[in-house]
Amino acid sequence: GWKEKGISQPLILGSVMHEAQEVFYKENFDYNKCMDRALEVVTDLEPTLTNKAMSGLHIWHQYIGKYERDKVDVLAVEKPIEIKLLNGFIATGRLDRLLRDKETGEIFVSDLKTTGWSLEATLRNYTYHPQPRLYYQGFVESFKDSNPEWIENCYGWRTDGVLTKERVSRGVKTGEFYGSAE
């Protein structure tokens, strides 16, 4: 008898970011294709939410996407994983990205978190959240047989955090967005 009440704005924004980033990494770091995919995903959204999604993606690209273009090799994007829990249950998830640092050869699981309230608190809270550890475990289980060298060279996870806030002028929201990423 449970009825869905609707999809939350954070879930919508996160979905847009993930869809577009998948294209960015799979299409050789192509920002234009990334933004085109985002536009396809946001076509039915209200204008303010569309602006927030597109602004968040642009902020992410300015701080993280451009950097990674030159610094990492992409090993996997949006990779489905299974995590075998001690109680016999199997949890499923999806690795946002599996990347290799071109300079050091280190491999890391990269995860994206978006926020509209505090980038610092979001990243700090995520550090102690079980999701990164579960995803790391899923990474190990998914690649231990096919790519054992990835497991040997993996040094954990990295989280990209994107903050997107709406500008307010004299107490009125403007529909324009700003932010940062780390």
Side-chain angles (χ1 to χ4, degrees):
W2 180 77
K3 300 222 188 289
E4 184 178 341
K5 291 182 180 179
I7 300 173
S8 70
Q9 282 193 8
L11 183 58
I12 292 168
L13 294 171
S15 296
V16 172
M17 296 283 285
H18 281 269
E19 289 266 342
Q21 284 181 356
E22 181 176 5
V23 170
F24 180 77
Y25 288 102
K26 287 184 174 180
E27 295 290 335
N28 198 29
F29 304 96
D30 190 316
Y31 176 68
N32 293 326
K33 287 183 181 178
C34 167
M35 295 303 277
D36 288 346
R37 178 64 186 136
L39 284 170
E40 290 172 11
V41 176
V42 300
T43 55
D44 295 330
L45 299 180
E46 59 151 84
T48 302
L49 192 54
T50 296
N51 288 346
K52 186 172 186 176
M54 299 305 287
S55 296
L57 192 55
H58 181 72
I59 291 163
W60 169 83
H61 181 259
Q62 292 298 335
Y63 288 93
I64 296 170
K66 281 182 176 180
Y67 169 82
E68 289 188 339
R69 178 184 304 127
D70 299 324
K71 303 288 183 184
V72 300
D73 291 318
V74 179
L75 304 177
V77 179
E78 295 295 332
K79 170 77 174 156
I81 55 170
E82 288 188 351
I83 303 123
K84 295 176 185 127
L85 304 176
L86 295 177
N87 62 6
F89 286 99
I90 296 177
T92 60
R94 189 176 292 271
L95 295 179
D96 292 357
R97 297 178 299 283
L98 184 63
L99 305 172
R100 179 183 336 195
D101 185 292
K102 287 182 179 180
E103 187 177 316
T104 66
E106 293 177 355
I107 292 172
F108 51 93
V109 175
S110 185
D111 195 38
L112 169 73
K113 294 295 170 204
T114 58
T115 185
W117 64 283
S118 170
L119 184 57
E120 181 181 317
T122 297
L123 293 174
R124 184 179 60 245
N125 292 342
Y126 189 65
T127 299
Y128 301 103
H129 196 278
Q131 185 183 0
R133 288 160 190 81
L134 287 170
Y135 279 16
Y136 179 78
Q137 182 179 340
F139 154 73
V140 170
E141 290 177 15
S142 295
F143 294 106
K144 66 184 175 191
D145 295 328
S146 62
N147 296 88
E149 72 280 1
W150 289 1
I151 309 302
E152 292 171 24
N153 292 313
C154 186
Y155 292 88
W157 71 89
R158 186 180 78 191
T159 304
D160 300 338
V162 178
L163 169 72
T164 310
K165 286 194 169 191
E166 187 170 5
R167 291 193 195 286
V168 176
S169 175
R170 298 180 183 174
V172 178
K173 293 182 178 183
T174 65
E176 297 174 357
F177 293 88
Y178 66 97
S180 60
E182 188 175 312

